[in-house]
Amino acid sequence: MRAEQDFFFCYNARLMGFLKRNGFSYICSALHEKSGNRFWLFPRSTELQAQIDCFNG
């Protein structure tokens, strides 16, 4: 069974687009229950984290 730390909850549409352009696929897209903000759920990996770090520059 996977735990929450196995996933990256992306709330930034620009970051989501960057990750998709760099070959990553999200598992699902949904709205946060309390805030109503859209998020995209990615499986966490070292490669994903490297791209997030690159985006945040």
Side-chain angles (χ1 to χ4, degrees):
M1 183 172 188
R2 290 186 141 185
E4 188 173 329
Q5 64 266 22
D6 294 332
F7 301 100
F8 173 64
F9 293 80
C10 178
Y11 286 90
N12 183 320
R14 288 181 54 228
L15 174 55
M16 181 278 298
F18 175 80
L19 293 173
K20 284 199 52 108
R21 285 190 302 277
N22 284 285
F24 294 92
S25 298
Y26 56 85
I27 297 168
C28 70
S29 174
L31 299 177
H32 186 274
E33 186 176 343
K34 292 182 181 177
S35 70
N37 293 331
R38 179 169 302 282
F39 68 88
W40 297 266
L41 186 65
F42 289 87
R44 194 175 290 277
S45 68
T46 54
E47 295 84 4
L48 179 77
Q49 188 59 53
Q51 288 299 310
I52 293 169
D53 294 343
C54 180
F55 179 82
N56 290 325

